[in-house]
Amino acid sequence: MNTAAKLAAFAAVVAVGFGGAAAVGAAVGPIDVGGDAAHSTHSTGEAAGSELLPGLAVAEAGYRLAVDTPTITADVPVSFGFSILDDSGSPVTRFDQLHERSLHLIVMSRNLVDYRHLHPMMDAGGHWTVALPALAAGSYRFFADFQPAGAANLTLGTDITIPGNVDSVALPPPAPVALIDGYDVTMAGMPAIGNSELSFTVGLDGQNVQTDPYLGAAGHLVVIRTGDLAYLHVHPHADDTTRTVNFTAEFPTAGTYRLFFEFSHTGTVYTATFTVSIESGRHTDTMETMGTMGTMGTMGTHEEGH
């Protein structure tokens, strides 16, 4: 039985035991699937988790994420390094631009609360480095989102451990509005298995504001599934000329998801976070979505190292 089949079988068992909640691979880290073409990272949203989703593999389609160290120090800023290796083990040095960057590094705590979106710098030899902000002790998934020159977009993931005492943090419940540094961000839409149209509006002092261009769009959205920390496909709409920022998100299974909506306003990048629970076979009303508080700091801080 290949890796994808094993994951599908495990998902079926979890669905029976937990009423369809998605928790594939909750206790394990990313899977090394090498260059097997049968393992696609691009889910259509129709297979209900039968394909390997982005972020679950450390290697895919002939590329591997190789980090300098699997552990880092807690509560202090550190320099973090890694490379993207090809199937011969050589560092990749040529990348196509993806949302105005050659590579995006998403740092996500396993409790799906701590989130960072960073842009590392690559040297001539294909080695990437980035200044990580101080992170609390715990287990984290590091996602590298990139597109090798002339190849398809890939998201590879690896687990990084930060030793120390880990504080327990409960996942916030669903609600439709996130409050962040005086802004209120409202999410609208009908999240469901498959493609879902989602929109976000940003309010300040009782008025909706026009967001600034950020990474080539009016906003940026990352969606991660609880349990296995699968990194989902999200497609921004190119016609965001109004005060509403629109996306199409692909939810592959029933379960609980965390949404991280990043927007820029007056030179500062903020992140509004939401929790969405999707039941099998039905749409989820917008009143069942959740917003919490968070910020990525100034544009310069957010884009540290790039």
Side-chain angles (χ1 to χ4, degrees), residues 127-228:
H127 184 258
W128 297 85
T129 55
V130 66
L132 290 180
L135 298 172
S139 178
Y140 292 77
R141 178 72 52 81
F142 280 45
F143 300 96
D145 189 7
F146 62 94
Q147 186 165 332
N153 172 217
L154 290 170
T155 303
L156 302 181
T158 191
D159 287 338
I160 299 294
T161 300
I162 303 181
N165 296 324
V166 180
D167 295 329
S168 177
V169 179
L171 193 68
V177 178
L179 303 177
I180 160 108
D181 286 3
Y183 294 90
D184 53 275
V185 182
T186 302
M187 183 175 73
M190 299 282 285
I193 296 174
N195 289 342
S196 297
E197 302 302 316
L198 303 176
S199 64
F200 297 83
T201 55
V202 179
L204 180 66
D205 299 328
Q207 300 292 326
N208 288 344
V209 302
Q210 178 77 53
T211 60
D212 302 329
Y214 173 60
L215 298 178
H220 187 267
L221 181 64
V222 169
V223 181
I224 298 179
R225 185 169 62 186
T226 62
D228 60 357

Side-chain angles (χ1 to χ4, degrees), residues 18-22 190-194 251-257 276-285 288:
F18 294 95
M190 299 282 285
I193 296 174
F251 294 96
T253 62
T256 301
Y257 296 82
V276 169
S277 294
I278 297 177
E279 295 183 12
S280 180
R282 80 173 186 90
H283 286 270
T284 299
D285 187 78
E288 296 180 273

